[in-house]
Amino acid sequence: MEILWVLIALVMLGFVLLPFLRRRRGAVGLVSPDHPDAADPANYGFVREEELDIRMPGPDQDLLDVLDVVQRSQDYRAAQQLLAGTETEGERRWQRVQAFAGAASLELAQRPGGVGEAPGGQWLRVWRAEAPKDAGGAAVQAEFLVQQAWRTATPGTDEFRIIMEEARSACGDAALLSPGDPVPYIVELSVARGLGYSRKDFEQLWLKILDRDPAHMGAHLAALHYWCEKWHGSRELAYSFAEAAAARAPQGSLLAAMPLFAVFEHLPEVTLVSSFWQSEVVTKAVHGALHAVHSARADDPMLAHARHLLVFFLVRGERWAEAMSQLIHIDGHVGALPWTLSEDPAAEFAVYRALAVAGYEANGGSPASLPH
């Protein structure tokens, strides 16, 4: 009987792996880099795995420079100046607040402090102490607390609730310091998910964001989590929210890619049928995201997020050339879904990139034939 169960398990595993190991015109798989048949991503100018930046989805050189200064000097003032000069409208301020909060949270995890040793992220505590009326510092502190709750505590526990309640208070302080800024309310969307706001309270919070920036893609992605089946909604509610956002998306807005994010949030744990990735719901969402990407401004800070998710779906759907077309725009940075869900985002991204290269070349593609 045990042998029978083992055989059944092997057959099911084969169904799961088959789409990645086979193509209609021959085998596509991962082999060692020194294998004579290995497709080399370096031939396309792609960055080595160990050099991939896991901190952000795409380039923001000003942010990278400031992060380097702050973490090297432990002086917050460069971060304060950058946020003060970042407009409240649009996506960039939200991404920079997340990056500063994430840097402080990661520093604290790496150096929790102890006898005779200051904890990591001390620059954020000094920032809040020396400039309590600074709106940027207040927003970073609120996001830092949210990230700490998810990083260090388990949802539903007293510890988690206490940190989230502190984060909610910090969001209120940040909102008072910058009344027209949607960022404090976007931070609170994570609090709402973690603390389980009622739908009425959540929708009141959402209206505050819409009043300030109705087309904010980052806010929509944060709100989508609340409506997902695994939190406080359902697949139907999440799809409805995403499709409504896409329907009212202004010209050039990446909101048209929202349905693809909703599909991703409700992927089955195991996909036994390879045709799932060519199904109507996936194909429609992918086409919407491709249209959004092609229509968006080249400098839209959320463009990289959509491209990263497209790579995931395009590789799974064996649409190799289209996957490669996205990779040439985002390679080098992997701080986005779906890679950030992995314990090793760079390695996860590198696997999909290698599959895209292998599939592209198995179907006659080459570095010379890839448009840039």
Side-chain angles (χ1 to χ4, degrees):
M1 189 66 179
E2 290 183 5
I3 294 176
L4 177 61
W5 283 113
V6 170
L7 289 173
I8 292 172
L10 288 173
V11 170
M12 293 182 70
L13 182 62
F15 275 116
V16 175
L17 296 179
L18 194 59
F20 284 91
L21 301 177
R22 211 167 73 178
R23 269 295 285 158
R24 284 181 291 274
R25 289 199 236 168
V28 175
L30 291 181
V31 295
S32 62
D34 57 349
H35 192 283
D37 293 330
D40 189 357
N43 293 337
Y44 297 83
F46 291 150
V47 174
R48 295 170 61 89
E49 179 182 332
E50 58 270 25
E51 296 174 355
L52 291 167
D53 192 325
I54 65 173
R55 294 172 295 178
M56 55 191 68
D60 183 345
Q61 195 58 48
D62 289 340
L63 175 59
L64 288 174
D65 292 343
V66 168
L67 273 172
D68 181 61
V69 170
V70 169
Q71 295 188 301
R72 185 163 26 85
S73 67
Q74 290 294 295
D75 187 333
Y76 68 87
R77 284 175 291 184
Q80 182 184 33
Q81 292 171 3
L82 182 65
L83 283 182
T86 304
E87 60 185 6
T88 58
E89 297 80 16
E91 311 284 346
R92 198 170 299 280
R93 182 177 179 85
W94 168 230
Q95 292 198 1
R96 288 175 172 177
V97 165
Q98 286 182 297
F100 287 130
S105 180
L106 185 58
E107 280 186 38
L108 183 58
Q110 293 171 340
R111 301 194 308 276
V115 179
E117 181 187 13
Q122 186 68 22
W123 53 269
L124 178 54
R125 285 180 282 278
V126 174
W127 187 355
R128 295 299 295 129
E130 293 186 354
K133 301 298 183 183
D134 180 65
V140 173
Q141 174 69 10
E143 173 64 14
F144 167 80
L145 290 168
V146 166
Q147 293 193 25
Q148 281 297 100
W150 293 111
R151 187 190 299 272
T152 65
T154 302
T157 63
D158 287 343
E159 180 186 8
F160 182 84
R161 180 183 55 78
I162 289 169
I163 302 174
M164 278 297 191
E165 291 287 0
E166 187 179 355
R168 173 156 59 179
S169 177
C171 289
D173 294 341
L176 288 174
L177 291 170
S178 184
D181 187 355
V183 168
Y185 299 103
I186 299 174
V187 176
E188 193 178 348
L189 291 173
S190 279
V191 177
R193 175 163 55 100
L195 294 181
Y197 280 23
S198 69
R199 289 185 183 177
K200 178 181 178 182
D201 289 342
F202 185 86
E203 287 169 351
Q204 288 177 346
L205 171 62
W206 182 239
L207 286 175
K208 293 177 182 178
I209 295 171
L210 293 182
D211 285 344
R212 289 161 177 80
D213 196 341
H216 198 291
M217 179 71 172
H220 280 78
L221 292 178
L224 176 65
H225 289 296
Y226 178 91
W227 295 113
C228 285
E229 190 173 59
K230 59 189 173 185
W231 287 104
H232 309 293
S234 65
R235 180 191 302 265
E236 292 72 23
L237 285 170
Y239 280 18
S240 177
F241 175 80
E243 288 165 2
R248 66 171 181 269
Q251 179 65 30
S253 169
L254 284 163
L255 288 178
M258 283 296 299
L260 188 63
F261 286 88
V263 170
F264 176 76
E265 292 295 336
H266 293 88
L267 287 177
E269 290 292 328
V270 177
T271 305
L272 297 179
V273 182
S274 62
S275 60
F276 170 81
W277 303 102
Q278 291 90 28
S279 65
E280 182 180 355
V281 65
V282 172
T283 300
K284 183 179 177 181
V286 166
H287 286 170
L290 285 170
H291 171 75
V293 163
H294 293 153
S295 304
R297 300 189 329 269
D299 63 347
D300 190 320
M302 294 301 295
L303 183 54
H305 286 273
R307 290 192 189 278
H308 279 288
L309 197 61
L310 273 169
V311 168
F312 172 83
F313 277 96
L314 292 170
V315 168
R316 287 295 189 99
E318 302 182 6
R319 297 167 64 166
W320 312 115
E322 290 170 292
M324 292 293 287
S325 295
Q326 301 304 319
L327 281 168
I328 61 175
H329 292 288
I330 57 172
D331 190 73
H333 298 82
V334 295
L337 286 175
W339 328 120
T340 49
L341 297 179
S342 168
E343 292 184 2
D344 191 342
E348 186 79 0
F349 173 82
V351 167
Y352 275 78
R353 184 178 64 183
L355 286 166
V357 170
Y360 182 62
E361 293 189 353
N363 286 274
S366 70
S369 64
L370 183 65
H372 286 72

